[in-house]
Amino acid sequence: MRSYLILGMCALFIIQYFAQVQWLQYVVFIMALLAFIGSAVNADRFPRLLGILMMTTGLIMEWSKGTGFGGVNQGIFLILPLICLITLAPLLSIPLKTGGYFEAVSSLLHRFLHQPRKLYAGMTGTLFFLSPILNLASVRILNEFIEELKLPSAMSAKGYLVGFTTALTWSPYFASVSLVLHYLNVPFSEYILYGLGLSIMLLVVGNLLFALWEKRNPIDYEASSGGTIDRQHQNRLVKLGLFVILLMSICLTIEKLTSWSMIVIVCLISVTVPVVNALKPVNRKKMRPLLIDFRDRTVPIMNNEITLFMSAGMLAFALQGTSFANKVSSLLTGLANESFFLFAGAVLLIVLSITYIGIHQIAVIGALAMQLKAEELGMTDISLVMLLLLTWVLSAALSPFSGLNLMISRFSGISGFRLGINTNGLHLSIIAIIGIAFISFIA
């Protein structure tokens, strides 16, 4: 029942986006509140408590500002596109599963078992291509591929984190990119090349550091190579790469031809791709159990995400325009006028301190994105977007309470507190330095 409520909310939100009917907006708002309550009740203990705290604080702050119901409605509606995105994006995995693309990826990784550096490059490269459209599901799928290989915990932890975080800087299917671009009103088409550049930098630095780490910590396998990849798997790997490129091209084209929000475009594509795939009768039988699984398992287990995202979004909106937010904005503006590096360091310190104790990035980075104005800071919109997304990457990797950190910790057996600082601390420090230096040139 809750799945139908959430999916119905997403469908009506998209209709409302184009129809702009006032009564329908109220219906979607009520459904969103019911979805939050249902998700909060079923969420894990910490996300439930944190979500209720952030939502309550946001509602009280918004009400105290005198905006009343209208302000709360606006705050919820501002985060709803993101809720629809995380709900509908997993539909894109269905065509990939029915097409046998995951088996091709597994075959490639097994072939490099006795070559740790190539295997690591294969792991991070796979996540580089899969994460932009599958989000955290890509880490879960990759872990299923290589779980039987019994890799060292540190290697798995490094590979999962490095590969996944590359998508946080450029994929429109991610909350990070969609949220920051949405709040700063920057078209995805203007940002994508910068985001890809930042993403490739993360990938290259991660692989170079692993090569140095592996040199000091040799990994020896008695197993031999998995042999060559058959032509069918080779073709599927090529098609997988083309599939990702095609999706991004469609997103850019639609954004260029219309004035639609990129988040809405991504939601529409996430629904359309499985529908088109189902036009072939041979695919329908394969898709049926996957669609049922999406309805009965994938959507219901998003309790933590919906609870945290909606409450953090409400809190971020409520913070906008408050005396506290204005003081922080004035402080950061003053630092930016003195030095870009002082400003960047202050943003990093603020975000990392708040997210490390469990507050979601959406709350703090969303509040900064709504409060800060690039022209007042003496920098370009693109450079502000890149700085906020680099900060998002670092906070997601360091916070022991982030979804990424918790999942990698479970798969690798390394605690969330050690995962960010001990296992990947050097990598994160280097990309912070290189990233900030690169952004300063375009600021």
Side-chain angles (χ1 to χ4, degrees):
M1 182 63 186
R2 194 156 44 86
S3 293
Y4 290 113
L5 173 65
I6 295 171
L7 293 173
M9 176 192 71
C10 295
L12 289 180
F13 170 79
I14 294 174
I15 294 172
Q16 162 60 17
Y17 178 82
F18 294 103
Q20 294 295 310
V21 180
Q22 190 65 45
W23 66 266
L24 185 56
Q25 180 172 334
Y26 293 141
V27 172
V28 177
F29 171 71
I30 293 172
M31 294 178 73
L33 288 181
L34 292 174
F36 172 78
I37 294 170
S39 298
V41 169
N42 292 278
D44 295 337
R45 185 172 181 271
F46 181 76
R48 179 171 64 248
L49 294 175
L50 185 60
I52 292 174
L53 176 63
M54 289 193 293
M55 178 62 79
T56 303
T57 304
L59 293 176
I60 293 173
M61 291 176 64
E62 195 59 38
W63 213 268
S64 66
K65 287 160 64 176
T67 56
F69 174 80
V72 175
N73 181 38
Q74 190 177 356
I76 294 294
F77 242 76
L78 199 62
I79 200 64
L80 266 183
L82 208 55
I83 302 299
C84 295
L85 175 68
I86 65 169
T87 302
L88 299 175
L91 284 169
L92 287 171
S93 66
I94 293 177
L96 298 180
K97 290 177 180 176
T98 58
Y101 297 103
F102 293 155
E103 289 86 348
V105 172
S106 180
S107 175
L108 174 67
L109 295 177
H110 279 72
R111 181 173 181 268
F112 295 136
L113 176 60
H114 71 304
Q115 301 170 288
R117 296 181 192 181
K118 289 187 178 180
L119 176 59
Y120 186 84
M123 291 168 57
T124 54
T126 296
L127 289 175
F128 179 85
F129 278 101
L130 291 183
S131 295
I133 55 176
L134 299 183
N135 211 301
L136 277 174
S138 61
V139 179
R140 189 181 301 112
I141 291 168
L142 180 62
N143 184 69
E144 292 175 1
F145 293 160
I146 63 176
E147 191 174 19
E148 64 189 67
L149 302 183
K150 306 297 181 185
L151 300 178
S153 296
M155 180 177 178
S156 299
K158 291 174 182 292
Y160 292 157
L161 187 138
V162 169
F164 181 83
T165 52
T166 59
L168 286 169
T169 65
W170 74 277
S171 173
Y173 292 83
F174 268 61
S176 53
V177 177
S178 298
L179 181 87
V180 174
L181 292 180
H182 184 67
Y183 285 172
L184 291 177
N185 198 29
V186 175
F188 179 67
S189 57
E190 292 183 10
Y191 169 74
I192 183 171
L193 291 180
Y194 294 95
L196 275 173
L198 194 56
S199 176
I200 292 171
M201 183 270 289
L202 298 177
L203 188 67
V204 171
V205 170
N207 276 270
L208 288 176
L209 288 177
F210 176 78
L212 295 175
W213 178 85
E214 197 271 334
K215 198 171 184 179
R216 296 193 303 269
N217 305 272
I219 303 172
D220 296 320
Y221 286 105
E222 295 181 1
S224 59
S225 169
T228 59
I229 306 176
D230 63 53
R231 184 167 296 277
Q232 186 180 36
H233 283 161
Q234 289 178 10
N235 291 337
R236 285 175 178 167
L237 288 172
V238 172
K239 288 180 181 178
L240 178 60
L242 293 175
F243 177 73
V244 175
I245 294 172
L246 178 63
L247 283 182
M248 299 307 160
S249 300
I250 292 173
C251 288
L252 289 169
T253 302
I254 295 176
E255 185 188 49
K256 206 78 173 177
L257 297 176
T258 69
S259 57
W260 301 349
S261 164
M262 176 55 74
I263 302 182
V264 173
I265 293 172
V266 170
C267 289
L268 290 172
I269 291 176
S270 299
V271 174
T272 303
V273 170
V275 171
V276 172
N277 191 60
L279 293 177
K280 294 178 67 175
V282 69
N283 291 334
R284 292 174 195 164
K285 188 175 181 180
K286 297 179 183 178
M287 290 179 63
R288 181 176 175 80
L290 296 175
L291 288 170
I292 293 174
D293 183 70
F294 171 78
R295 181 196 64 191
D296 296 343
R297 192 180 68 86
T298 303
V299 176
I301 65 173
M302 290 181 180
N303 299 314
N304 294 346
E305 289 84 352
I306 292 175
T307 301
L308 290 175
F309 280 30
M310 197 174 293
S311 59
M314 185 68 237
L315 179 58
F317 179 79
L319 282 169
Q320 186 181 22
T322 62
S323 58
F324 173 75
N326 289 334
K327 287 178 181 178
V328 172
S329 178
S330 298
L331 171 64
L332 292 176
T333 301
L335 290 175
N337 292 330
E338 290 292 328
S339 166
F340 169 78
F341 295 102
L342 283 176
F343 167 72
V347 170
L348 283 175
L349 182 62
I350 291 171
V351 175
L352 294 180
S353 298
I354 296 175
T355 55
Y356 196 81
I357 62 174
I359 304 298
H360 199 277
Q361 290 89 348
I362 289 176
V364 57
I365 295 180
L368 289 174
M370 285 188 280
Q371 194 73 23
L372 297 176
K373 305 298 179 187
E375 60 271 17
E376 296 177 2
L377 299 170
M379 57 195 301
T380 63
D381 288 331
I382 295 293
S383 58
L384 181 56
V385 169
M386 293 182 72
L387 178 61
L388 292 178
L389 289 177
L390 177 63
T391 306
W392 195 306
V393 169
L394 297 172
S395 60
L398 285 171
S399 173
F401 301 106
S402 72
L404 171 64
N405 217 319
L406 290 172
M407 179 175 286
I408 296 177
S409 175
R410 186 167 69 251
F411 291 155
S412 65
I414 299 175
S415 73
F417 291 94
R418 288 180 51 221
L419 185 64
I421 297 176
N422 292 352
T423 308
N424 291 291
L426 179 61
H427 168 72
L428 296 174
S429 300
I430 290 177
I431 64 173
I433 295 171
I434 296 177
I436 291 174
F438 175 71
I439 296 169
S440 69
F441 284 110
I442 62 172

